[in-house]
Amino acid sequence: VQLQASGGGTAQSGGSLRLSCVGSGFDFGWAPVAWFRQAPGKEREGVACISSSETIRYSDAVKGRFTISRDNGKNTVYLHMSNLKAEDTAIYFCARGPCIGPILNNYREYGSKFSGWGQGTLVTVSS
């Protein structure tokens, strides 16, 4: 099981970026996938997730600004980020795991339920 995030870069405050997460080694279409991020000096936190039936959950920090979607034909989950803020600066990771709000929002307790972590992709938002 492996998922690789890409698409990070530098954007100005208020700008947009789209991240991609490509999965391999498992039946992608049946797998729930989540995005996480980790800012310097902070704990990893859940951002968004999408189930195989396209149930979607967002953290309160990104709700209304980020959109998660998937294309099973390309084994890819996307994270479209708009109205970016300086506090969105972080390394973004994707992983396979349950798309349930309380699990997404409590990495410290439920992080072990996710697998396939790749290296992540760095997003820097300049003000």
Side-chain angles (χ1 to χ4, degrees), residues 26 44 49 63 81 95 109 120:
F26 61 100
R44 192 168 296 188
C49 64
K63 197 174 297 181
M81 307 183 294
E109 185 168 355

Side-chain angles (χ1 to χ4, degrees), residues 49 57 97-105:
C49 64
R57 297 289 182 265
C99 186
I100 299 172
I103 290 179
L104 176 72
N105 293 319

Side-chain angles (χ1 to χ4, degrees), residues 24-85:
S24 61
F26 61 100
D27 193 340
F28 188 87
W30 289 100
V33 175
W35 283 97
F36 292 83
R37 67 186 182 186
Q38 188 164 15
K42 295 189 176 181
E43 288 191 342
R44 192 168 296 188
E45 63 175 0
V47 174
C49 64
I50 184 167
S51 72
S52 59
S53 61
E54 301 201 10
T55 296
I56 289 172
R57 297 289 182 265
Y58 296 102
S59 69
D60 288 343
V62 306
K63 197 174 297 181
R65 301 187 298 120
F66 290 12
T67 302
I68 190 171
S69 62
R70 66 189 301 157
D71 183 341
N72 292 332
K74 296 182 178 179
N75 280 14
T76 301
V77 168
Y78 301 101
L79 185 68
H80 183 84
M81 307 183 294
S82 61
N83 192 17
L84 284 163
K85 303 176 181 179

